[in-house]
Amino acid sequence: ETESDVAPHQKYVDDAVVRDVSVALQRLSPKERETFVLKHVEGWKLEEIAESTNTNVNNVKSTLFRAVRKLRVDLHVWRSEP
């Protein structure tokens, strides 16, 4: 599928999603953003994140929980479920 095959409104939606995700990620604290990206973008294990950030797994879990909660609030308009 080439860019010319994509409906104009789909390109607008795609651009809007990218923009909103980018803004939502920037609203996270640096620690939350780093932890979220390492886990959900880079695919690191909790133990790897803890070691890399000089913390423990429970702190990583708490930081991820806060980050995901904030992202869900900021990106709720894009959720397909009620």
Side-chain angles (χ1 to χ4, degrees), residues 57-74:
V57 171
N58 285 333
N59 284 341
V60 171
K61 288 179 182 179
S62 295
T63 302
L64 279 173
F65 177 82
R66 284 192 310 274
V68 169
R69 184 178 57 203
K70 289 178 181 181
L71 290 171
R72 282 185 177 152
V73 169
D74 284 352

Side-chain angles (χ1 to χ4, degrees), residues 2 17 19 31 35 39 48-49 51 57 66 68 71:
T2 66
V17 170
R19 181 196 64 231
K31 180 180 176 181
T35 303
K39 175 67 177 155
E48 294 171 318
I49 298 169
E51 185 177 326
V57 171
R66 284 192 310 274
V68 169
L71 290 171

Side-chain angles (χ1 to χ4, degrees), residues 4 6 9 11 16 29 38 44 46 52 57 61 65-66 74 79:
S4 62
V6 176
H9 72 281
K11 174 85 169 102
S29 74
L38 289 175
W44 288 26
L46 297 176
S52 173
V57 171
K61 288 179 182 179
F65 177 82
R66 284 192 310 274
D74 284 352
R79 293 184 70 177

Side-chain angles (χ1 to χ4, degrees), residues 7-18:
H9 72 281
Q10 185 60 48
K11 174 85 169 102
Y12 171 80
V13 170
D14 293 348
D15 290 347
V17 170
V18 169

